Amino acid sequence: MLVADLSESSASAVALVCARCVKELSVTGAGATVLSHLGNGNGNGSDAGHPARGLVHATNPTSAGLEDLQLTVGEGPCLDTFASGGPVLVADLAAEGARWPAFTPGALALGAAAVFSFPLQIGVVRLGSLDLYRDTPGPLSHDEMSDALILTDLATQGIANELSGHNTADLSWLVDPHIEVHQATGMVQIQLGVSTEAALMRLRGYAFTHDLPLAEVARQVVRRTLRFTQEDRP
């Protein structure tokens, strides 16, 4: 059983938690993200829209790639655990291709064979997720599950400390290229005169069609080398 105090400040604490996950849980990589609902663009504050996401830390390029893939295709364990408030545990990703038809092929290509996501939440307030993957199939053991829940609590503390003084929808404190996705979404929303959710869908569609990471498409929009026109409206 894990006994640890990793309650250091800000993202450094989250980095330590992710590193500890790899060491203690026999996983290949770990990442932590914060999420907040973009809303449905109708101004009523509904949570019906897609959540905005920001990467806090990833232990390796594959972990970062899995986070970016979920942002691009709009599905995956991170989004499910954020929506449900409970862990999402998939010991054999290849056997559950129908669950995430857009995410699973890309995740397998990146080298993930098993994925495990845990919600970062305080009470009923969900802040994001702690996401783990293995490069071989297999479930977490009972002891590993117990340790994962402890580490999830420690990651939550680290993120909550960083969020202190910020609205949960304010991701500006993150040094993360995904911040450009939020900026680009707002720019496309103005360019096309559509809702925030529709603008994000157009960005995702362009990224998927051109086989580009969503972060790269957003970077082009923010730098004004890519502009969506009225002819691009669905």
Side-chain angles (χ1 to χ4, degrees), residues 129-169:
S129 66
L130 178 65
D131 307 311
L132 318 174
Y133 85 92
R134 280 179 174 159
D135 56 13
T136 56
L140 297 175
S141 69
H142 182 272
D143 285 346
E144 288 169 342
M145 272 293 297
S146 298
D147 289 347
L149 294 174
I150 294 172
L151 289 163
T152 298
D153 285 343
L154 292 171
T156 302
Q157 293 171 22
I159 289 175
N161 290 339
E162 190 62 50
L163 281 173
S164 179
H166 294 269
N167 184 283
T168 55

Coordinates of all heavy atoms in Angstrom, one line a residue, residues 129-169:
S129 N -9.0 15.1 -14.8 CA -8.8 13.6 -14.8 C -7.3 13.3 -14.7 O -6.5 14.0 -15.1 CB -9.4 12.9 -16.0 OG -8.7 13.3 -17.2
L130 N -7.1 12.1 -14.0 CA -5.7 11.5 -14.0 C -5.8 10.3 -14.9 O -6.6 9.4 -14.7 CB -5.4 11.1 -12.6 CG -4.0 10.4 -12.4 CD1 -2.9 11.3 -12.7 CD2 -3.9 9.8 -11.0
D131 N -5.0 10.3 -16.0 CA -5.1 9.3 -17.0 C -3.9 8.5 -17.1 O -2.7 9.0 -17.2 CB -5.4 10.0 -18.4 CG -6.5 11.0 -18.3 OD1 -7.6 10.5 -17.8 OD2 -6.4 12.1 -18.7
L132 N -4.0 7.1 -17.1 CA -2.9 6.2 -17.1 C -3.1 5.3 -18.3 O -4.2 5.0 -18.8 CB -2.9 5.3 -15.8 CG -3.2 6.1 -14.5 CD1 -3.3 5.1 -13.4 CD2 -2.1 7.1 -14.2
Y133 N -1.9 4.8 -18.8 CA -2.0 3.8 -19.9 C -0.9 2.7 -19.7 O 0.1 3.0 -19.1 CB -1.9 4.4 -21.3 CG -0.5 4.7 -21.8 CD1 0.2 3.7 -22.5 CD2 0.2 5.8 -21.4 CE1 1.5 3.9 -23.0 CE2 1.5 6.1 -21.9 CZ 2.1 5.1 -22.6 OH 3.4 5.3 -23.1
R134 N -1.1 1.6 -20.2 CA -0.1 0.5 -20.3 C 0.1 0.1 -21.8 O -0.8 0.2 -22.6 CB -0.6 -0.7 -19.5 CG -0.4 -0.7 -18.0 CD -0.9 -1.9 -17.4 NE -0.6 -1.9 -15.9 CZ -1.3 -2.6 -15.0 NH1 -2.2 -3.4 -15.4 NH2 -0.9 -2.5 -13.7
D135 N 1.3 -0.3 -22.1 CA 1.6 -0.7 -23.4 C 1.3 -2.2 -23.6 O 1.5 -2.8 -24.7 CB 3.0 -0.4 -23.9 CG 4.1 -0.9 -22.9 OD1 3.7 -1.8 -22.1 OD2 5.2 -0.5 -23.0
T136 N 0.8 -2.9 -22.6 CA 0.4 -4.3 -22.7 C -1.0 -4.4 -22.0 O -1.2 -3.6 -21.0 CB 1.3 -5.3 -22.0 OG1 1.6 -4.9 -20.7 CG2 2.7 -5.3 -22.8
P137 N -1.9 -5.3 -22.4 CA -3.2 -5.4 -21.8 C -3.0 -5.9 -20.3 O -2.1 -6.6 -20.0 CB -3.9 -6.4 -22.6 CG -3.2 -6.4 -23.9 CD -1.8 -6.1 -23.6
G138 N -4.0 -5.6 -19.5 CA -4.0 -6.1 -18.1 C -4.7 -5.1 -17.2 O -4.5 -3.9 -17.4
P139 N -5.4 -5.6 -16.2 CA -6.1 -4.7 -15.3 C -5.2 -4.2 -14.2 O -4.1 -4.8 -14.0 CB -7.2 -5.6 -14.7 CG -6.5 -7.0 -14.7 CD -5.7 -7.0 -16.0
L140 N -5.6 -3.2 -13.4 CA -4.9 -2.8 -12.2 C -5.3 -3.8 -11.1 O -6.4 -4.3 -11.0 CB -5.4 -1.4 -11.8 CG -5.1 -0.3 -12.7 CD1 -5.7 1.0 -12.2 CD2 -3.6 -0.1 -12.8
S141 N -4.3 -4.2 -10.3 CA -4.6 -5.1 -9.2 C -5.4 -4.3 -8.1 O -5.5 -3.1 -8.2 CB -3.3 -5.6 -8.6 OG -2.6 -4.6 -8.0
H142 N -5.8 -5.1 -7.1 CA -6.6 -4.5 -6.0 C -5.7 -3.4 -5.3 O -6.1 -2.3 -5.0 CB -7.0 -5.5 -5.0 CG -7.8 -5.0 -3.8 ND1 -7.2 -4.5 -2.7 CD2 -9.1 -4.8 -3.7 CE1 -8.1 -4.1 -1.9 NE2 -9.3 -4.3 -2.4
D143 N -4.4 -3.8 -5.0 CA -3.5 -2.8 -4.4 C -3.2 -1.6 -5.3 O -3.2 -0.5 -4.8 CB -2.2 -3.5 -4.0 CG -2.4 -4.4 -2.8 OD1 -3.4 -4.3 -2.1 OD2 -1.5 -5.2 -2.5
E144 N -3.1 -1.9 -6.6 CA -2.8 -0.8 -7.5 C -4.0 0.2 -7.6 O -3.9 1.4 -7.7 CB -2.5 -1.3 -8.9 CG -1.1 -1.9 -8.9 CD -0.8 -2.7 -10.2 OE1 -1.8 -3.1 -10.9 OE2 0.4 -3.0 -10.5
M145 N -5.2 -0.4 -7.5 CA -6.4 0.5 -7.5 C -6.5 1.4 -6.3 O -6.8 2.6 -6.4 CB -7.7 -0.4 -7.6 CG -8.2 -0.7 -9.0 SD -8.7 0.7 -9.9 CE -10.1 1.2 -8.9
S146 N -6.1 0.8 -5.1 CA -6.1 1.6 -3.9 C -5.1 2.7 -4.0 O -5.4 3.8 -3.6 CB -5.8 0.7 -2.7 OG -6.8 -0.3 -2.5
D147 N -3.9 2.4 -4.5 CA -2.9 3.4 -4.6 C -3.3 4.4 -5.7 O -3.0 5.6 -5.5 CB -1.5 2.7 -5.1 CG -0.9 1.9 -4.0 OD1 -1.4 2.0 -2.8 OD2 0.0 1.1 -4.2
A148 N -3.9 4.0 -6.7 CA -4.3 5.0 -7.8 C -5.3 6.0 -7.2 O -5.3 7.2 -7.5 CB -5.0 4.2 -8.9
L149 N -6.2 5.6 -6.3 CA -7.2 6.5 -5.7 C -6.5 7.5 -4.8 O -6.8 8.6 -4.7 CB -8.2 5.7 -4.9 CG -9.1 4.8 -5.8 CD1 -10.1 3.9 -4.9 CD2 -10.0 5.7 -6.8
I150 N -5.4 7.0 -4.0 CA -4.7 7.9 -3.2 C -3.9 8.9 -4.0 O -3.9 10.1 -3.8 CB -3.6 7.1 -2.3 CG1 -4.4 6.2 -1.3 CG2 -2.7 8.1 -1.6 CD1 -3.5 5.2 -0.6
L151 N -3.3 8.5 -5.1 CA -2.6 9.4 -6.0 C -3.5 10.4 -6.7 O -3.2 11.5 -6.9 CB -1.8 8.6 -7.0 CG -0.6 7.8 -6.4 CD1 -0.1 6.7 -7.4 CD2 0.6 8.8 -6.1
T152 N -4.7 9.9 -7.0 CA -5.7 10.8 -7.6 C -6.1 11.9 -6.6 O -6.2 13.1 -7.0 CB -7.0 10.0 -8.0 OG1 -6.6 9.1 -9.0 CG2 -8.0 11.0 -8.6
D153 N -6.2 11.6 -5.4 CA -6.5 12.6 -4.4 C -5.4 13.6 -4.3 O -5.6 14.9 -4.1 CB -6.7 12.0 -3.0 CG -8.1 11.3 -2.9 OD1 -9.0 11.6 -3.7 OD2 -8.3 10.5 -2.0
L154 N -4.1 13.2 -4.3 CA -3.0 14.0 -4.3 C -2.9 15.0 -5.5 O -2.5 16.1 -5.4 CB -1.7 13.2 -4.1 CG -1.5 12.5 -2.8 CD1 -0.3 11.5 -2.8 CD2 -1.3 13.5 -1.6
A155 N -3.2 14.4 -6.6 CA -3.2 15.2 -7.9 C -4.3 16.3 -7.8 O -4.1 17.4 -8.2 CB -3.4 14.4 -9.1
T156 N -5.4 15.9 -7.2 CA -6.5 16.9 -7.0 C -6.1 18.0 -6.1 O -6.4 19.2 -6.4 CB -7.8 16.2 -6.4 OG1 -8.2 15.1 -7.3 CG2 -8.9 17.1 -6.3
Q157 N -5.4 17.7 -5.1 CA -4.9 18.8 -4.2 C -4.0 19.7 -4.9 O -4.1 20.9 -4.7 CB -4.2 18.1 -3.0 CG -5.1 17.3 -2.0 CD -4.3 16.6 -1.0 OE1 -3.2 16.9 -0.7 NE2 -4.9 15.5 -0.4
G158 N -3.1 19.2 -5.7 CA -2.1 20.0 -6.4 C -2.8 20.9 -7.4 O -2.5 22.1 -7.5
I159 N -3.8 20.4 -8.1 CA -4.5 21.3 -9.1 C -5.4 22.3 -8.4 O -5.5 23.4 -8.8 CB -5.3 20.4 -10.0 CG1 -4.4 19.6 -11.0 CG2 -6.3 21.2 -10.8 CD1 -5.0 18.6 -11.9
A160 N -6.0 21.9 -7.3 CA -6.9 22.8 -6.5 C -6.1 24.0 -6.0 O -6.5 25.1 -6.0 CB -7.6 22.1 -5.4
N161 N -4.8 23.7 -5.5 CA -3.9 24.8 -5.1 C -3.6 25.7 -6.2 O -3.6 27.0 -6.0 CB -2.6 24.2 -4.5 CG -2.8 23.5 -3.2 OD1 -3.8 23.7 -2.5 ND2 -1.9 22.6 -2.9
E162 N -3.4 25.2 -7.4 CA -3.1 26.1 -8.6 C -4.3 26.9 -9.0 O -4.2 28.0 -9.5 CB -2.6 25.2 -9.7 CG -2.0 26.1 -10.8 CD -0.8 26.9 -10.4 OE1 0.1 26.4 -9.8 OE2 -0.8 28.1 -10.7
L163 N -5.5 26.3 -8.9 CA -6.7 26.9 -9.3 C -7.2 28.0 -8.3 O -8.1 28.8 -8.7 CB -7.8 25.9 -9.5 CG -7.8 25.1 -10.8 CD1 -8.9 24.0 -10.8 CD2 -8.0 26.0 -12.0
S164 N -6.6 28.0 -7.2 CA -7.0 29.0 -6.1 C -6.9 30.4 -6.7 O -5.9 30.8 -7.2 CB -6.1 28.9 -4.9 OG -6.5 29.8 -3.9
G165 N -8.0 31.1 -6.7 CA -8.1 32.5 -7.2 C -8.5 32.5 -8.7 O -8.7 33.6 -9.2
H166 N -8.7 31.4 -9.3 CA -9.1 31.4 -10.7 C -10.5 30.8 -10.8 O -10.9 29.9 -10.0 CB -8.2 30.5 -11.6 CG -6.8 31.0 -11.7 ND1 -6.4 31.9 -12.7 CD2 -5.7 30.9 -11.0 CE1 -5.2 32.2 -12.6 NE2 -4.7 31.6 -11.5
N167 N -11.3 31.2 -11.7 CA -12.6 30.5 -12.0 C -12.2 29.2 -12.6 O -11.2 29.0 -13.3 CB -13.3 31.4 -13.1 CG -14.7 30.8 -13.4 OD1 -14.8 29.8 -14.1 ND2 -15.7 31.3 -12.8
T168 N -13.0 28.1 -12.4 CA -12.7 26.8 -12.9 C -12.7 26.8 -14.4 O -12.1 25.9 -15.0 CB -13.7 25.8 -12.4 OG1 -15.1 26.2 -12.8 CG2 -13.7 25.6 -10.9
A169 N -13.3 27.8 -15.1 CA -13.2 27.8 -16.6 C -12.0 28.5 -17.1 O -11.8 28.6 -18.3 CB -14.5 28.5 -17.1

